[in-house]
Amino acid sequence: LVIVSQKGFEEVFLRKLPGNAASSIFRRPEIASLRKYNATSRLRDGGVMINSTNDIPRCVVLGSSHGTMLGPVVDSLSRMYNVPCAMLNQDGTAAFFAGTNSYVKARGLDNKEKRARDIIVKNFISRWNPDLVIIAGRWGWEMPKDWGRRPENSIASFQEAFQETCRWLGDHCSRVLVVGQVPELPLHDGDNTIEIFKLYRANGYVMPKFQEDPDRGSMRSKALSMFNIQGMTNVTIVDPSPIFRNADGSIRYFNDQGVMYYDSHHLNSSGSLELLPLLEPFFKEISRHRAEKHASL
């Protein structure tokens, strides 16, 4: 009864370990380290500003919680290259604008409110004319579910929303960067520490290998293939999934600092920083252009 009421041996064991013993088993940043980048309640104020010091943001991040999880890497690059940034990501809300689509599913929002939020985001971007807009999402989940009442309708509308959004952004910023989705762990949603610990213990105290569910992997890859950028010269697509693949094809979900995911599909701050080499060239380019512009004045 005690074990059941305390939700199992592993949870009791980890909770009662002295000092930092639990973190030495699974050294991982807490989800709180990402919450500060969630712009949902601060949208009307221009979102979450990073390294701004009253400067106009030169980089803007749009997305759901998958935009929020980019916060640590964007923060690091913002300070490294002195590029002021604004996080306009909203949990549970599609990054793409509703546009001509009559159906958009968003957590707690009806279609009217989603469009109202789109206007707020567009107003800020129109005012700032940033050098870079980064878009992130759980594309393999969103594509067949959030843009139509039936999967076939949702997939078609998803591609249409991508095209409309990128074309609008392309007229109001120098470059649009669409970040693909990382591989999904075959675990339950929510804090994965206990679940991984159970498998770790059952695996002879060796970190288990994980393969992505074939259906999830297929939808993730299909969504990426929908990002057709023909005729859009200032739109770039990057795929982060190779960073999170081991040589044997299993998911690379931990590094020397510990586990890099905080649930089945979100990176924690340690995982977010793994994306630095992928995003750094775009910040470096902004910094170079700003330096050239300043020198010419």
Side-chain angles (χ1 to χ4, degrees):
L1 287 173
V2 170
I3 290 172
V4 171
S5 67
Q6 297 296 324
K7 300 181 181 179
F9 164 77
E10 284 80 8
E11 186 165 334
V12 174
F13 174 75
L14 287 178
R15 191 170 64 245
K16 292 186 176 181
L17 281 175
N20 294 323
S23 63
S24 71
I25 296 174
F26 293 113
R27 296 185 302 275
R28 61 200 297 270
E30 294 298 326
I31 188 173
S33 64
L34 295 176
R35 288 193 179 117
K36 64 182 179 182
Y37 300 110
N38 179 5
T40 303
S41 63
R42 301 168 63 177
L43 195 64
R44 293 183 181 277
D45 300 322
V48 177
M49 296 291 180
I50 298 173
N51 192 27
S52 64
T53 59
N54 296 321
D55 290 335
I56 293 175
R58 303 318 310 154
C59 170
V60 173
V61 179
L62 304 180
S64 58
S65 54
H66 281 250
T68 299
M69 79 182 190
L70 297 182
V73 67
V74 169
D75 197 324
S76 178
L77 288 167
S78 168
R79 300 178 195 283
M80 190 183 303
Y81 290 99
N82 194 26
V83 175
C85 297
M87 307 288 289
L88 293 177
N89 41 282
Q90 307 164 63
D91 281 4
T93 304
F96 299 150
F97 302 133
T100 58
N101 191 29
S102 61
Y103 178 94
V104 182
K105 182 180 178 183
R107 186 190 306 165
L109 303 182
D110 58 20
N111 196 272
K112 182 179 178 180
E113 188 175 354
K114 164 61 176 163
R115 292 173 188 278
R117 290 194 181 191
D118 287 349
I119 291 172
I120 294 171
V121 170
K122 285 182 173 182
N123 283 342
F124 280 119
I125 293 175
S126 298
R127 186 191 312 169
W128 296 332
N129 291 119
D131 296 297
L132 177 67
V133 174
I134 302 174
I135 309 178
R138 191 184 181 189
W139 307 124
W141 179 271
E142 178 182 320
M143 179 183 67
K145 295 174 179 289
D146 289 357
W147 293 92
R149 299 186 187 282
R150 294 184 177 183
E152 59 272 22
N153 297 333
S154 184
I155 291 170
S157 295
F158 172 83
Q159 189 172 36
E160 182 181 354
F162 163 78
Q163 296 280 342
E164 290 180 353
T165 300
C166 286
R167 286 201 174 94
W168 187 93
L169 289 172
D171 291 336
H172 295 85
C173 71
S174 300
R175 176 149 306 278
V176 179
L177 177 63
V178 182
V179 180
Q181 186 184 337
V182 300
E184 297 200 10
L185 292 170
L187 302 172
H188 296 102
D189 285 343
D191 187 337
N192 58 37
T193 305
I194 302 301
E195 193 169 0
I196 292 175
F197 180 74
K198 288 179 180 179
L199 295 168
Y200 168 77
R201 188 165 60 90
N203 198 40
Y205 297 97
V206 175
M207 292 296 275
K209 289 183 179 293
F210 292 122
Q211 298 289 340
E212 188 172 22
D213 177 84
D215 290 339
R216 293 284 176 89
S218 176
M219 291 304 288
R220 182 174 54 78
S221 298
K222 183 175 181 178
L224 196 64
S225 72
M226 290 285 178
F227 296 149
N228 185 346
I229 59 173
Q230 288 182 345
M232 294 187 282
T233 57
N234 59 348
V235 179
T236 303
I237 312 295
V238 293
D239 181 10
S241 60
I243 296 173
F244 299 93
R245 289 288 185 198
N246 293 313
D248 62 1
S250 62
I251 300 174
R252 178 175 170 263
Y253 67 97
F254 65 94
N255 58 18
D256 292 342
Q257 284 72 51
V259 175
M260 299 186 292
Y261 285 67
Y262 73 74
D263 64 10
S264 65
H265 55 95
H266 289 99
L267 300 174
N268 59 28
S269 58
S270 176
S272 178
L273 291 172
E274 290 282 317
L275 298 172
L276 194 145
L278 196 67
L279 303 186
E280 185 174 14
F282 300 93
F283 283 80
K284 189 180 292 185
E285 185 70 6
I286 295 172
S287 180
R288 185 178 67 82
H289 282 162
R290 294 184 79 197
E292 290 174 353
K293 184 177 179 180
H294 181 76
S296 65
L297 294 177

